[in-house]
Structures are given as structure tokens and as C-alpha cells.
Amino acid sequence: MTGRIFSPEEKLEIIQEWIQGASPRELCTKYQVHDTTLSRWRKKYDKYGADGLKKRKKHRSYTRTFKEMIAREHQNDTISLSELAYKYDIPSKETVRQWIMRYNNGEEIRTKREGASPLNKGRKTTYAERIEIAQYHAQRDISYRELAERFEVSYQQARNIVVKYREYGEAGLEDKRGKGKSEAQLTDMDRLNREISMLKADKRKLEVENALLKKLEELERD
């Protein structure tokens, strides 16, 4: 087979011949195209029409959560790599294979936001997301850089969220709250919420440390 690049119009013409009765084998021979490539064109056409045969202008970015979801689905269901790629509109089954291999090996599946690194370009976060980010940091020995990469926020956002959570608790993560308040300006309720949040964070860290120690003891016994 040749390494020829087909235009969207040529792909459409070939698919239409298939629809009109030509066999895939005949088309592969006639146009010198691989059978898996032809099959991929047909699936994209069936799913998206002629637009599915057009080349994407930009590389698509996938979140870490999405990649891990794909890996778990492959583990739990009898679904092939090709079927997963088609189901979720992923260009190549090899991409899916790499995600699954990293997930099965216990490696973190990294991701990058399109057009910029999450370390220097932020994004708008919800109150719930900020709480999740703060609590994730409180439960683990993780740097601001690693935190920013995992949640796809800027380094400064990750740092600010953690600092506000430490100082003001969950109230500090609300929009325009816990910002610019001095100790004297805090109400009794603000102070109480801050103390409660700090105690919760300390408790979570202690639980994680105890779990790690227990795991180490088990490994040493083995």
C-alpha cells in the first residue's frame, strides 16, 4: 500500500462507492488503501457524515480523568481497543493502548491542555473544584506543580487555593470571601470554620500517614 494522503473529497467518493455496492477488497486494491484505514473512514462517515472525513485542524486534548475512565472501561467490559476508539472518537487505537498500559502499570496518565501548559495558564474553577483541589493536597505529600498538573490549573491557582484553604477553610474558597481579611476582621464563625477545616486536614494527613506505615509494615513482614 502507498503512503498517499487522501483529501476529504476523495475519501467521500470511495465511501460512496462502497455504499453503492463495491466491496472493501476491491476498493483497497483500486485505491491502494489499507483495509483498516478504509474501515476507519467508513465508521467516521457513518457516525459524523462527510464532516467525519475532514482532518482536524487542532490536536485534541484529553483530560486525565477521561483517560483513566477509558482504561477502567477496558478492564471491566469486553470491549476492544478499536471499539473504544470509535465509541469515544479517539483517532487511534494505539493511543488507547498507551493509556491502558500506563494505567495498568500504575503510572500516572499525564495530560496537557491545548495551547498552553497548565502551569502558566489558569482556568475558571467552581467552588466544588477548589474544595476538591485543596482536600487532595491536604491528604497527600504533593507539590503545587504536581497539583496544578493533575487538576489542569495554573501553578499560582493551585498555590492560592491551598493557602486560602489553610487560612480560612472552605469559606476562603468561595468567590470574594476570605480575601483581604485580616485576623481582626474575622468573625467568630470565620475563625471556627478555619479551625475546623485545619483539624480536618490534619486528621486526613494523619490517616494517610498511618495507612502508609501499615502498608510498609505489611511489606516488611512479607
Side-chain angles (χ1 to χ4, degrees), residues 132-147:
E132 182 183 3
I133 292 170
Q135 292 181 346
Y136 187 90
H137 181 272
Q139 294 169 8
R140 295 165 176 81
D141 182 16
I142 184 173
S143 69
Y144 294 141
R145 176 181 291 273
E146 293 170 320
L147 189 67

Side-chain angles (χ1 to χ4, degrees), residues 155-185:
Y155 175 91
Q156 193 60 41
Q157 274 183 300
R159 182 182 181 281
N160 287 343
I161 288 171
V162 172
V163 169
K164 286 182 179 180
Y165 184 70
R166 284 175 177 170
E167 292 184 357
Y168 306 104
E170 294 181 1
L173 302 179
E174 295 181 12
D175 292 338
K176 297 181 180 180
R177 290 195 60 180
K179 186 175 182 180
K181 270 189 177 182
S182 66
E183 183 69 23
Q185 290 175 313

Side-chain angles (χ1 to χ4, degrees), residues 12 47 53-54 57 83 127 148 150 180 190 213 221:
L12 180 59
K47 191 171 184 179
L53 302 176
K54 296 178 181 178
K57 294 182 179 179
E83 290 171 329
Y127 176 58
R150 178 167 187 84
D190 289 333
L213 288 173
R221 286 198 296 271

Side-chain angles (χ1 to χ4, degrees), residues 1 23-35 38:
M1 299 297 174
S23 71
R25 182 184 295 273
E26 292 172 343
L27 293 172
C28 289
T29 302
K30 179 179 178 180
Y31 293 102
Q32 290 295 289
V33 60
H34 199 279
D35 57 348
L38 180 61

Side-chain angles (χ1 to χ4, degrees), residues 17-146:
E17 286 189 39
W18 186 354
I19 293 173
Q20 292 168 5
S23 71
R25 182 184 295 273
E26 292 172 343
L27 293 172
C28 289
T29 302
K30 179 179 178 180
Y31 293 102
Q32 290 295 289
V33 60
H34 199 279
D35 57 348
T36 56
T37 300
L38 180 61
S39 177
R40 186 172 68 250
W41 292 351
R42 179 61 186 268
K43 288 178 179 179
K44 287 183 175 294
Y45 177 80
D46 290 342
K47 191 171 184 179
Y48 302 106
D51 287 341
L53 302 176
K54 296 178 181 178
K55 186 177 180 180
R56 289 191 179 92
K57 294 182 179 179
K58 291 184 178 180
H59 177 70
R60 182 176 176 184
S61 177
Y62 302 92
T63 65
R64 180 181 293 106
T65 302
F66 177 82
K67 294 176 183 179
E68 292 175 349
M69 178 195 74
I70 297 296
R72 286 194 295 270
E73 182 168 342
H74 182 262
Q75 283 184 335
N76 298 331
D77 299 328
T78 54
I79 184 170
S80 69
L81 300 179
S82 297
E83 290 171 329
L84 277 171
Y86 175 66
K87 179 179 179 180
Y88 293 102
D89 193 26
I90 301 167
S92 169
K93 70 177 183 180
E94 291 305 317
T95 300
V96 179
R97 188 194 306 277
Q98 290 298 320
W99 296 350
I100 293 172
M101 287 177 60
R102 293 185 66 86
Y103 183 82
N104 290 342
N105 290 335
E107 301 176 30
E108 189 174 45
I109 308 178
R110 295 186 177 275
T111 185
K112 293 181 180 178
R113 292 182 66 80
E114 181 65 33
S117 167
L119 297 181
N120 53 41
K121 184 174 182 181
R123 65 179 179 85
K124 187 175 181 180
T125 57
T126 65
Y127 176 58
E129 283 181 310
R130 292 191 289 276
I131 291 178
E132 182 183 3
I133 292 170
Q135 292 181 346
Y136 187 90
H137 181 272
Q139 294 169 8
R140 295 165 176 81
D141 182 16
I142 184 173
S143 69
Y144 294 141
R145 176 181 291 273
E146 293 170 320

